Amino acid sequence: MPGGRRTVGGDDGLAIALVDPAGRISLWSSEAEALTGHPATEIVGCDLAVLVDGPAADGRTLVDRLVRAGGGVRTDWMRCFDGRSRSVRWRAVPVPLEAGAGLLAVAVHGAQETDWCDPEATGLLLRSSPIGLAVLDRDLRYRFINDALARLNGLPVEAHLGRSILDVLDLPDPRAYEAMVRRVTDAGETIDNLHVAAIRPDGTPYAAVGTLFPLRDADGNVVGQAGVVHDLGGTRAELLDTARHQRRLDLLSRISAGLSQGLDVASVASRLLAVCTPAFASTVTVDLLEEAVQRDPDPRMRTRPQERGADGAAGPRVHPLSAAAGSGPAAPERDLPQARAASAPVGECIRSADAVHFRVDDDREQPHHAIALPLPAAGHVLGAITFSRPGGFDADDVLTLRDIAARAAMALDNALLYRRERLATLVLQRRLLPARLPDIPWAESAYRYFPAQDGTLAGGDWYDTVRLPGGRVGLTVGDVMGHGLAAAAAMGRYRSSARALLAVGLEPGQLLTRLDGLEDEADNDLPATCVCAVHDGATGDLRLALAGHPPPLLVRPDGSADILAADPGPPLGMGLDHVYESVRYAVPSGSLLVLYTDGMIEDRSSFLDLDQGIAMLRRAVHNTETPLDEICDALIAVRPADSADDATVLVTRLTRLS
């Protein structure tokens, strides 16, 4: 049979599918679509494995296995279009095709239900039973659950079907429970008088007793298991206490693990919210005190008028943190939402440094009770964290909440300390870089600096343009290895030293040699790469030297582009006493000289070679007469999206002295 994207009409309700030897579905009837929900336009051409419920081999292997078995009648779980699975009884018929042996699958759509008894009576029994009933497959996924057990677990029936029992039940020791339950399907055991304590999604614990037994097919093979579960109510207090204690330890463990990965206040709050909701609370709000963020000794900050509450008393101002605030890294100046006056319960909590219980007035059908707790750190309050849920919190819950608040306060205090370091580093970096480039008519320049994608600390990139006597101009771009305060300080030393050596008239090679030999009394300089170029506006002569740095790109007025090759030499500060050499190039008037750091041509997985780099950067420059700011923006736009390093580009239009 030829393949193709087409359907065939049903014949007496027959669902028909044809699978070629490669395991691809080549024909799909309208009854097959009605049976599984998969439209022919979506399923034809797909691998047969997409219909298999659970991990399976590829379609070619499945077809080969069924053909060797000679076909026959089978009953299998099949994954439908809406993601659910259903049991389908079908016949596999091997058929010869041009490419080899294929498979014809035939099922009677209207005869999938088994009429061994009155279906209505069976449904009434299962749904109306006061005892919980469930059927699990070999992967411990719910295939059936009645209303009684769904109510006991605190979730609707639809939330169980197709999900693993461990994904539904919040158990004190899930690994031990899983090992025991798997004995039913793996070894065919029956487990009687099984006592279980679990936590419902709304936070209430419950205890139950049940029996698990294997389900076997006509050949005696275990195909799943069934459970009969009865609610114990409050007759097993020790089980409920164990469940509460284990849940508390698990929650605190997950919170500690999540908070340890947050470096900024927004991500700390986001991770805290992700762990606590909805398992422990319906809502979680973190309000960070504005004074804790500023910590500014300037008295003008302390005398600024504060917003006043409804009672006329001055109230604290807070930054409300939410999950959205921690969705990605941001510069420390923009990582906090706008401060606002704290609500009355939060303000009272911060002023008293104690818990405040209150009721949330909203439009919910079930009233929510809330508690605001202070965030204590090193003898001061950083703000407050507020939890709310229906039914409120008991004494044990409050102890857990206080523990959560203490851990959150420690993480926020560390994040604020890190934030202040980031701000200090960024301020230092900005002060050490030129605020603007000099206005040189024959060497007009523009630059762009793009920080690392993770937005953690300032890098060590620098750029500089120095006007020299005799119609010359000196250009440097460099990159200190590393990030943070040390990298910013080293960058300032390299840049200022290079600027001074340019001013005394050294050639680029001599300049890098002297720069490499400079000694730091504190012995804490970091290695750096650097490119140095000196252009003579009268002759068009360009002298160039490199210290472990990517070579510059020259774009001529006619649109041609070349790499200006030079001996790269080792990076500066390596202690190798290398003598760097200058090379000379004649530059046509109106050419563009592009100096850049390696952050412009590298990503997290590989380093682009020079040919790839020149092609990528060259594509961004279409016209040498385009305004330099537009050229810089175009170059930054083609930078690899997942680059982990800072990126700096300096573009200079080199012309002649008039």
Side-chain angles (χ1 to χ4, degrees):
M1 285 183 168
R5 293 181 175 271
R6 62 192 184 93
T7 63
V8 297
D11 183 10
D12 295 331
L14 291 181
I16 301 174
L18 179 65
V19 186
D20 64 21
R24 294 186 300 271
I25 299 170
S26 58
L27 184 143
W28 192 255
S29 73
S30 58
E31 289 294 339
E33 178 176 346
L35 179 62
T36 65
H38 289 285
T41 55
E42 297 287 340
I43 199 70
V44 171
C46 293
D47 193 276
L48 177 62
V50 302
L51 296 176
V52 179
D53 182 29
D58 59 277
R60 183 188 298 273
T61 304
L62 291 172
V63 170
D64 183 62
R65 185 185 306 162
L66 291 168
V67 170
R68 288 202 311 268
V73 178
R74 300 174 52 88
T75 301
D76 294 298
W77 284 94
M78 182 176 297
R79 184 164 296 278
C80 298
F81 185 74
D82 60 2
R84 299 186 182 182
S85 300
R86 66 173 300 176
S87 178
V88 176
R89 186 173 178 83
W90 63 290
R91 177 178 292 275
V93 182
V95 294
L97 300 175
E98 293 179 357
L103 189 72
L104 185 68
V106 181
V108 181
H109 181 201
Q112 292 300 321
E113 301 294 338
T114 303
D115 280 336
W116 58 272
C117 69
D118 184 358
E120 184 177 356
T122 304
L124 288 174
L125 171 64
L126 297 177
R127 288 193 301 271
S128 304
S129 172
I131 298 177
L133 302 172
V135 174
L136 309 176
D137 62 14
R138 292 190 60 88
D139 294 324
L140 305 186
R141 290 176 296 185
Y142 283 99
R143 293 305 184 185
F144 168 80
I145 184 172
N146 69 344
D147 293 338
L149 186 53
R151 287 193 299 270
L152 181 62
N153 291 340
L155 288 171
V157 171
E158 294 77 12
H160 290 76
L161 299 179
R163 296 178 61 192
S164 167
I165 186 173
L166 300 178
D167 293 335
V168 173
L169 299 183
D170 187 355
L171 300 164
D173 193 348
R175 289 197 181 100
Y177 185 80
E178 179 183 14
M180 180 174 55
V181 173
R182 286 198 179 278
R183 284 164 33 199
V184 179
T185 51
D186 295 344
E189 295 185 24
T190 296
I191 301 177
D192 288 315
N193 199 31
L194 174 62
H195 288 72
V196 178
I199 305 293
R200 296 186 180 92
D202 63 1
T204 59
Y206 68 97
V209 62
T211 298
L212 301 177
F213 55 92
L215 298 175
R216 301 179 185 273
D217 60 14
D219 298 326
N221 300 317
V222 177
V223 295
Q225 62 179 284
V228 180
V229 184
H230 180 67
D231 185 12
L232 285 177
T235 60
R236 290 294 185 268
E238 65 277 7
L239 286 175
L240 300 182
D241 291 340
T242 300
R244 289 192 187 98
H245 181 66
Q246 185 64 37
R247 181 170 181 260
R248 177 176 181 269
L249 293 179
D250 179 65
L251 177 66
L252 295 177
S253 175
R254 287 187 287 124
I255 286 176
S256 297
L259 295 182
S260 65
Q261 302 175 20
L263 291 178
D264 59 272
V265 292
S267 64
V268 167
S270 178
R271 295 175 187 274
L272 183 65
L273 270 61
V275 175
C276 291
T277 57
F280 192 75
S282 299
T283 63
V284 179
T285 305
V286 178
D287 292 299
L288 192 61
L289 193 60
E290 187 180 38
E291 296 175 3
V293 175
Q294 293 174 345
R295 297 283 183 82
D296 197 325
D298 189 345
R300 292 174 296 179
M301 299 298 294
R302 294 194 293 268
T303 58
R304 186 178 63 181
Q306 294 179 310
E307 286 194 24
R308 296 184 174 272
D311 57 357
R317 293 177 59 84
V318 295
H319 297 276
L321 304 181
S322 64
S327 58
E333 308 96 323
R334 302 186 300 273
D335 62 345
L336 293 175
Q338 187 70 29
R340 68 185 184 192
S343 64
V346 170
E348 181 183 350
C349 172
I350 293 175
R351 283 191 294 266
S352 64
D354 200 0
V356 174
H357 296 261
F358 61 100
R359 179 168 172 171
V360 179
D361 294 326
D362 52 27
D363 298 331
R364 295 185 178 95
E365 295 181 1
Q366 188 174 6
H368 276 51
H369 298 268
I371 178 173
L373 296 107
L375 296 169
H380 57 275
V381 176
L382 297 179
I385 180 170
T386 305
F387 302 85
S388 75
R389 75 180 185 196
F393 303 91
D394 58 24
D396 290 338
D397 292 333
V398 174
L399 291 177
T400 303
L401 294 177
R402 289 187 182 276
D403 203 339
I404 294 173
R407 296 172 190 236
M410 182 181 299
L412 288 170
D413 197 37
N414 291 336
L416 288 174
L417 178 62
Y418 182 59
R419 182 178 186 270
R420 286 190 285 272
E421 179 184 350
R422 292 168 65 195
L423 285 170
T425 303
L426 290 173
V427 169
L428 176 62
Q429 183 192 41
R430 291 164 185 164
R431 294 294 177 87
L432 294 175
L433 289 173
R436 62 183 183 87
L437 298 178
D439 184 12
I440 305 175
W442 66 92
E444 180 188 2
S445 296
Y447 70 91
R448 289 294 183 273
Y449 168 73
F450 195 81
Q453 188 185 42
D454 59 6
T456 52
L457 287 174
D461 286 10
W462 84 85
Y463 53 89
D464 205 358
T465 301
V466 182
R467 184 167 185 167
L468 302 175
R472 295 176 302 132
V473 60
L475 307 167
T476 60
V477 166
D479 181 8
V480 175
M481 300 180 185
H483 295 83
L485 197 60
M491 175 271 291
R493 181 172 178 270
Y494 280 120
R495 174 183 169 260
S496 60
S497 299
R499 189 178 184 87
L501 293 174
L502 279 172
V504 299
L506 292 186
E507 292 289 321
Q510 297 173 328
L511 182 147
L512 295 182
T513 301
R514 292 290 299 274
L515 198 61
D516 180 58
L518 291 177
E519 295 184 357
D520 183 9
E521 295 180 358
D523 194 26
N524 60 3
D525 248 0
L526 298 173
T529 66
C530 182
V531 54
C532 178
V534 175
H535 178 255
D536 191 330
T539 64
D541 180 75
L542 177 72
R543 296 186 181 273
L544 172 72
L546 302 174
H549 201 86
L553 168 68
L554 182 70
V555 183
R556 300 181 181 86
D558 61 3
S560 61
D562 283 319
I563 291 177
L564 299 185
D567 179 12
L572 305 172
M574 301 292 289
L576 302 178
D577 297 325
H578 184 77
V579 176
Y580 298 88
E581 299 292 338
S582 300
V583 294
R584 178 183 175 278
Y585 287 95
V587 176
S589 179
S591 299
L592 295 179
L593 181 66
V594 182
L595 309 180
Y596 54 91
T597 58
D598 57 3
M600 288 292 297
I601 57 171
E602 70 176 3
D603 57 24
R604 295 181 185 272
S605 58
S606 63
F607 187 88
L608 302 178
D609 60 33
L610 294 181
D611 291 337
Q612 292 173 315
I614 186 69
M616 179 184 66
L617 297 178
R618 176 65 186 87
R619 285 194 297 268
V621 184
H622 304 289
N623 186 350
T624 57
E625 296 182 359
T626 302
L628 295 183
D629 284 332
E630 295 182 15
I631 294 176
C632 287
D633 292 338
L635 289 168
I636 286 292
V638 300
R639 172 177 179 254
D642 59 348
S643 176
D645 199 5
D646 298 12
T648 298
V649 60
L650 176 68
V651 181
T652 305
R653 182 178 285 115
L654 302 175
T655 57
R656 295 287 190 275
L657 281 170
S658 56

